[in-house]
Amino acid sequence: MTLIDPVLLKARLAGLAGRFDVDALDECDSTSSELMRRAERGAPSGSVVVADRQSAGRGRRGRNWLSSPESSLTFSLLWRFPGNAASLSGLSLAVGVGLAQAMENLGAHGVCLKWPNDVLLRSGDDFAKLAGILIELSSDRRGTQAIIGIGLNLAPPTGDLPQPAAGLSQACPQPIDRHDVFAAILGQLAAVLDTFTVNRFFGLKMKWQSYHAWQDQAVQILGDGEELKRGRCLGVDDDGALLLETAAGIERIFSGDVSLRRA
Ligand code: BTN
């Protein structure tokens, strides 16, 4: 029996259960790779692969994503959109909004978002990573498919980590069952992806900014550890680009090999 029982999950999803087709695996290489293979064989929009263990979990920028079964929730969701990949700018930010709203609905405090797509937990002046989002797009004449990969720490991870990490258990006053967490996330993802399909990121921009960790603060944009730019972070535009106020004026920073640090 996997840690996610599809029958229990279906009951938690209630009226939304018909929108998702969830397969729970003990182990796979990567839920995103597995779902990509299934998508190539015609899996429908709303297909989900959740796995207790990934032997080759992938993070952004070619990094590995390590997780342990008891303390994490790792899954990927297939969603199909009309239009080309360029029309989906801001999608990863939209997914971040869905995650933050789901956690807030579960009673979590201090959840916030870091551009472009990290979910953080704030504790005083410190931030630690709660969840990561990896979105992989591919288009053909019918539209664009997104494989939305999410790794959430349910408990704080241990070991040698590249950055401070936190667990949802630290943000919630009560212990939460992983089926409740998963159902809350899928429910909010359905809601934000519906909004995004109609209104694109414009429909979610204000919400994203309400969760933004460093709104109106001094930040640095880093590439390969080197400072590329610094300025005041004004938030994001309708396409999800970061707006940075510098001596040269307001610059738009696009998703890419950059990181944001508090200056
Ligand atoms: C990041 O680097 O912040 C994004 C991490 C995304 C990890 C998730 S875990 C489920 C899915 N399968 C993968 O191989 N990666 C994503």
Side-chain angles (χ1 to χ4, degrees):
M1 174 66 112
T2 57
L3 290 167
I4 290 290
D5 177 344
V7 176
L8 290 182
L9 181 68
K10 200 170 177 174
R12 309 290 208 282
L13 283 168
L16 285 172
R19 300 200 64 186
F20 298 101
D21 180 3
V22 180
D23 193 10
L25 307 177
D26 286 326
E27 181 165 351
C28 63
D29 51 353
S30 145
T31 55
S32 290
S33 304
E34 174 60 26
L35 193 53
M36 219 171 275
R37 292 188 286 268
R38 293 181 185 199
E40 275 162 25
R41 298 198 298 268
S45 190
S47 296
V48 177
V49 172
V50 56
D52 293 349
R53 269 185 203 80
Q54 298 185 114
S55 55
R58 294 184 280 110
R60 291 176 60 231
R61 300 185 211 153
R63 294 196 186 117
N64 295 332
W65 182 262
L66 301 174
S67 51
S68 59
E70 294 298 336
S71 57
S72 41
L73 179 63
T74 51
F75 71 96
S76 300
L77 164 66
L78 167 64
W79 210 262
R80 293 201 166 88
F81 297 90
N84 58 21
S87 68
L88 301 186
S89 58
L91 176 61
S92 64
L93 283 77
V95 168
V97 169
L99 287 177
Q101 286 186 159
M103 292 185 218
E104 224 171 60
N105 292 347
L106 291 164
H109 293 286
V111 176
C112 50
L113 297 173
K114 175 188 162 198
W115 184 88
N117 50 11
D118 281 347
V119 183
L120 305 180
L121 182 64
R122 183 199 307 264
S123 166
D125 280 344
D126 294 327
F127 295 89
K129 184 158 167 170
L130 202 49
I133 301 163
L134 176 70
I135 299 193
E136 294 161 292
L137 301 177
S138 57
S139 302
D140 63 17
R141 61 188 165 71
R142 290 165 299 179
T144 301
Q145 79 172 27
I147 304 282
I148 301 170
I150 293 173
L152 166 68
N153 303 324
L154 295 173
T158 52
D160 202 9
L161 300 164
Q163 66 182 103
L168 183 62
S169 59
Q170 293 167 293
C172 293
Q174 316 271 347
I176 304 176
D177 176 78
R178 69 174 59 227
H179 296 87
D180 290 328
V181 176
F182 200 14
I185 291 175
L186 291 177
Q188 284 303 315
L189 287 180
V192 295
L193 293 172
D194 286 348
T195 301
F196 188 90
T197 301
V198 177
N199 296 322
R200 302 291 149 172
F201 181 64
F202 172 73
L204 295 155
K205 183 175 85 168
M206 296 317 289
K207 199 74 201 167
W208 191 92
Q209 279 181 184
S210 73
Y211 287 117
H212 186 195
W214 300 327
Q215 184 71 22
D216 295 322
Q217 294 190 39
V219 295
Q220 295 172 289
I221 306 295
L222 304 178
D224 289 332
E226 302 281 314
E227 178 177 300
L228 302 178
K229 291 178 190 295
R230 62 168 54 206
R232 192 164 68 96
C233 187
L234 301 182
V236 288
D237 71 4
D238 293 350
D239 293 325
L242 188 79
L243 296 174
L244 189 71
E245 185 182 52
T246 68
I250 296 175
E251 299 188 34
R252 296 173 77 210
I253 312 288
F254 295 90
S255 190
D257 195 14
V258 290
S259 330
L260 190 67
R261 296 273 188 285
R262 268 181 301 166

mmCIF file with all atom_site columns, all heavy atoms in Angstrom, residues 156-169:
data_model
loop_
_atom_site.group_PDB
_atom_site.id
_atom_site.type_symbol
_atom_site.label_atom_id
_atom_site.label_alt_id
_atom_site.label_comp_id
_atom_site.label_asym_id
_atom_site.label_entity_id
_atom_site.label_seq_id
_atom_site.pdbx_PDB_ins_code
_atom_site.Cartn_x
_atom_site.Cartn_y
_atom_site.Cartn_z
_atom_site.occupancy
_atom_site.B_iso_or_equiv
_atom_site.pdbx_formal_charge
_atom_site.auth_seq_id
_atom_site.auth_comp_id
_atom_site.auth_asym_id
_atom_site.auth_atom_id
_atom_site.pdbx_PDB_model_num
ATOM 1  N N   . PRO A 1 156 ? 10.104 18.952 8.241  1.00 0.00 ? 156 PRO A N   1
ATOM 2  C CA  . PRO A 1 156 ? 11.367 19.573 7.841  1.00 0.00 ? 156 PRO A CA  1
ATOM 3  C C   . PRO A 1 156 ? 12.386 18.519 7.408  1.00 0.00 ? 156 PRO A C   1
ATOM 4  O O   . PRO A 1 156 ? 12.602 17.546 8.137  1.00 0.00 ? 156 PRO A O   1
ATOM 5  C CB  . PRO A 1 156 ? 11.834 20.305 9.098  1.00 0.00 ? 156 PRO A CB  1
ATOM 6  C CG  . PRO A 1 156 ? 10.891 19.950 10.183 1.00 0.00 ? 156 PRO A CG  1
ATOM 7  C CD  . PRO A 1 156 ? 9.728  19.212 9.623  1.00 0.00 ? 156 PRO A CD  1
ATOM 8  N N   . PRO A 1 157 ? 12.992 18.682 6.216  1.00 0.00 ? 157 PRO A N   1
ATOM 9  C CA  . PRO A 1 157 ? 13.983 17.702 5.771  1.00 0.00 ? 157 PRO A CA  1
ATOM 10 C C   . PRO A 1 157 ? 15.246 17.783 6.604  1.00 0.00 ? 157 PRO A C   1
ATOM 11 O O   . PRO A 1 157 ? 15.557 18.839 7.158  1.00 0.00 ? 157 PRO A O   1
ATOM 12 C CB  . PRO A 1 157 ? 14.284 18.105 4.325  1.00 0.00 ? 157 PRO A CB  1
ATOM 13 C CG  . PRO A 1 157 ? 13.458 19.291 4.023  1.00 0.00 ? 157 PRO A CG  1
ATOM 14 C CD  . PRO A 1 157 ? 12.791 19.762 5.265  1.00 0.00 ? 157 PRO A CD  1
ATOM 15 N N   . THR A 1 158 ? 15.955 16.653 6.687  1.00 0.00 ? 158 THR A N   1
ATOM 16 C CA  . THR A 1 158 ? 17.220 16.640 7.431  1.00 0.00 ? 158 THR A CA  1
ATOM 17 C C   . THR A 1 158 ? 18.357 16.396 6.442  1.00 0.00 ? 158 THR A C   1
ATOM 18 O O   . THR A 1 158 ? 18.106 16.081 5.285  1.00 0.00 ? 158 THR A O   1
ATOM 19 C CB  . THR A 1 158 ? 17.212 15.514 8.475  1.00 0.00 ? 158 THR A CB  1
ATOM 20 O OG1 . THR A 1 158 ? 16.851 14.313 7.800  1.00 0.00 ? 158 THR A OG1 1
ATOM 21 C CG2 . THR A 1 158 ? 16.237 15.786 9.601  1.00 0.00 ? 158 THR A CG2 1
ATOM 22 N N   . GLY A 1 159 ? 19.568 16.540 6.887  1.00 0.00 ? 159 GLY A N   1
ATOM 23 C CA  . GLY A 1 159 ? 20.719 16.253 6.026  1.00 0.00 ? 159 GLY A CA  1
ATOM 24 C C   . GLY A 1 159 ? 21.320 17.518 5.467  1.00 0.00 ? 159 GLY A C   1
ATOM 25 O O   . GLY A 1 159 ? 20.961 18.629 5.857  1.00 0.00 ? 159 GLY A O   1
ATOM 26 N N   . ASP A 1 160 ? 22.252 17.302 4.564  1.00 0.00 ? 160 ASP A N   1
ATOM 27 C CA  . ASP A 1 160 ? 23.017 18.398 3.979  1.00 0.00 ? 160 ASP A CA  1
ATOM 28 C C   . ASP A 1 160 ? 22.201 19.016 2.846  1.00 0.00 ? 160 ASP A C   1
ATOM 29 O O   . ASP A 1 160 ? 22.033 18.407 1.793  1.00 0.00 ? 160 ASP A O   1
ATOM 30 C CB  . ASP A 1 160 ? 24.324 17.795 3.434  1.00 0.00 ? 160 ASP A CB  1
ATOM 31 C CG  . ASP A 1 160 ? 25.376 18.852 3.307  1.00 0.00 ? 160 ASP A CG  1
ATOM 32 O OD1 . ASP A 1 160 ? 25.148 19.973 3.797  1.00 0.00 ? 160 ASP A OD1 1
ATOM 33 O OD2 . ASP A 1 160 ? 26.420 18.545 2.693  1.00 0.00 ? 160 ASP A OD2 1
ATOM 34 N N   . LEU A 1 161 ? 21.674 20.212 3.053  1.00 0.00 ? 161 LEU A N   1
ATOM 35 C CA  . LEU A 1 161 ? 20.772 20.804 2.069  1.00 0.00 ? 161 LEU A CA  1
ATOM 36 C C   . LEU A 1 161 ? 21.407 22.059 1.470  1.00 0.00 ? 161 LEU A C   1
ATOM 37 O O   . LEU A 1 161 ? 22.113 22.796 2.163  1.00 0.00 ? 161 LEU A O   1
ATOM 38 C CB  . LEU A 1 161 ? 19.440 21.173 2.741  1.00 0.00 ? 161 LEU A CB  1
ATOM 39 C CG  . LEU A 1 161 ? 18.699 19.996 3.370  1.00 0.00 ? 161 LEU A CG  1
ATOM 40 C CD1 . LEU A 1 161 ? 17.627 20.497 4.320  1.00 0.00 ? 161 LEU A CD1 1
ATOM 41 C CD2 . LEU A 1 161 ? 18.086 19.137 2.288  1.00 0.00 ? 161 LEU A CD2 1
ATOM 42 N N   . PRO A 1 162 ? 21.117 22.316 0.188  1.00 0.00 ? 162 PRO A N   1
ATOM 43 C CA  . PRO A 1 162 ? 21.716 23.499 -0.457 1.00 0.00 ? 162 PRO A CA  1
ATOM 44 C C   . PRO A 1 162 ? 21.170 24.820 0.077  1.00 0.00 ? 162 PRO A C   1
ATOM 45 O O   . PRO A 1 162 ? 21.776 25.866 -0.076 1.00 0.00 ? 162 PRO A O   1
ATOM 46 C CB  . PRO A 1 162 ? 21.356 23.324 -1.939 1.00 0.00 ? 162 PRO A CB  1
ATOM 47 C CG  . PRO A 1 162 ? 20.215 22.363 -1.971 1.00 0.00 ? 162 PRO A CG  1
ATOM 48 C CD  . PRO A 1 162 ? 20.315 21.522 -0.743 1.00 0.00 ? 162 PRO A CD  1
ATOM 49 N N   . GLN A 1 163 ? 20.000 24.782 0.699  1.00 0.00 ? 163 GLN A N   1
ATOM 50 C CA  . GLN A 1 163 ? 19.413 26.007 1.250  1.00 0.00 ? 163 GLN A CA  1
ATOM 51 C C   . GLN A 1 163 ? 18.532 25.632 2.436  1.00 0.00 ? 163 GLN A C   1
ATOM 52 O O   . GLN A 1 163 ? 18.117 24.478 2.561  1.00 0.00 ? 163 GLN A O   1
ATOM 53 C CB  . GLN A 1 163 ? 18.600 26.756 0.193  1.00 0.00 ? 163 GLN A CB  1
ATOM 54 C CG  . GLN A 1 163 ? 17.361 26.024 -0.277 1.00 0.00 ? 163 GLN A CG  1
ATOM 55 C CD  . GLN A 1 163 ? 16.620 26.803 -1.355 1.00 0.00 ? 163 GLN A CD  1
ATOM 56 O OE1 . GLN A 1 163 ? 16.694 26.488 -2.524 1.00 0.00 ? 163 GLN A OE1 1
ATOM 57 N NE2 . GLN A 1 163 ? 15.888 27.816 -0.960 1.00 0.00 ? 163 GLN A NE2 1
ATOM 58 N N   . PRO A 1 164 ? 18.208 26.587 3.322  1.00 0.00 ? 164 PRO A N   1
ATOM 59 C CA  . PRO A 1 164 ? 17.348 26.254 4.453  1.00 0.00 ? 164 PRO A CA  1
ATOM 60 C C   . PRO A 1 164 ? 16.007 25.698 3.977  1.00 0.00 ? 164 PRO A C   1
ATOM 61 O O   . PRO A 1 164 ? 15.450 26.196 2.990  1.00 0.00 ? 164 PRO A O   1
ATOM 62 C CB  . PRO A 1 164 ? 17.159 27.602 5.156  1.00 0.00 ? 164 PRO A CB  1
ATOM 63 C CG  . PRO A 1 164 ? 18.287 28.460 4.684  1.00 0.00 ? 164 PRO A CG  1
ATOM 64 C CD  . PRO A 1 164 ? 18.634 27.988 3.313  1.00 0.00 ? 164 PRO A CD  1
ATOM 65 N N   . ALA A 1 165 ? 15.523 24.659 4.637  1.00 0.00 ? 165 ALA A N   1
ATOM 66 C CA  . ALA A 1 165 ? 14.266 24.030 4.232  1.00 0.00 ? 165 ALA A CA  1
ATOM 67 C C   . ALA A 1 165 ? 13.371 23.876 5.454  1.00 0.00 ? 165 ALA A C   1
ATOM 68 O O   . ALA A 1 165 ? 13.842 23.698 6.574  1.00 0.00 ? 165 ALA A O   1
ATOM 69 C CB  . ALA A 1 165 ? 14.542 22.672 3.601  1.00 0.00 ? 165 ALA A CB  1
ATOM 70 N N   . ALA A 1 166 ? 12.069 23.943 5.205  1.00 0.00 ? 166 ALA A N   1
ATOM 71 C CA  . ALA A 1 166 ? 11.089 23.824 6.290  1.00 0.00 ? 166 ALA A CA  1
ATOM 72 C C   . ALA A 1 166 ? 10.045 22.784 5.899  1.00 0.00 ? 166 ALA A C   1
ATOM 73 O O   . ALA A 1 166 ? 9.985  22.341 4.750  1.00 0.00 ? 166 ALA A O   1
ATOM 74 C CB  . ALA A 1 166 ? 10.419 25.177 6.518  1.00 0.00 ? 166 ALA A CB  1
ATOM 75 N N   . GLY A 1 167 ? 9.213  22.409 6.861  1.00 0.00 ? 167 GLY A N   1
ATOM 76 C CA  . GLY A 1 167 ? 8.133  21.459 6.589  1.00 0.00 ? 167 GLY A CA  1
ATOM 77 C C   . GLY A 1 167 ? 6.793  22.079 6.936  1.00 0.00 ? 167 GLY A C   1
ATOM 78 O O   . GLY A 1 167 ? 6.707  22.955 7.810  1.00 0.00 ? 167 GLY A O   1
ATOM 79 N N   . LEU A 1 168 ? 5.750  21.621 6.252  1.00 0.00 ? 168 LEU A N   1
ATOM 80 C CA  . LEU A 1 168 ? 4.402  22.149 6.493  1.00 0.00 ? 168 LEU A CA  1
ATOM 81 C C   . LEU A 1 168 ? 3.991  21.971 7.956  1.00 0.00 ? 168 LEU A C   1
ATOM 82 O O   . LEU A 1 168 ? 3.257  22.782 8.511  1.00 0.00 ? 168 LEU A O   1
ATOM 83 C CB  . LEU A 1 168 ? 3.413  21.442 5.547  1.00 0.00 ? 168 LEU A CB  1
ATOM 84 C CG  . LEU A 1 168 ? 1.968  21.889 5.586  1.00 0.00 ? 168 LEU A CG  1
ATOM 85 C CD1 . LEU A 1 168 ? 1.826  23.361 5.191  1.00 0.00 ? 168 LEU A CD1 1
ATOM 86 C CD2 . LEU A 1 168 ? 1.101  21.027 4.669  1.00 0.00 ? 168 LEU A CD2 1
ATOM 87 N N   . SER A 1 169 ? 4.508  20.905 8.583  1.00 0.00 ? 169 SER A N   1
ATOM 88 C CA  . SER A 1 169 ? 4.156  20.654 9.987  1.00 0.00 ? 169 SER A CA  1
ATOM 89 C C   . SER A 1 169 ? 4.560  21.823 10.884 1.00 0.00 ? 169 SER A C   1
ATOM 90 O O   . SER A 1 169 ? 3.944  22.065 11.921 1.00 0.00 ? 169 SER A O   1
ATOM 91 C CB  . SER A 1 169 ? 4.830  19.370 10.477 1.00 0.00 ? 169 SER A CB  1
ATOM 92 O OG  . SER A 1 169 ? 6.232  19.499 10.343 1.00 0.00 ? 169 SER A OG  1
#
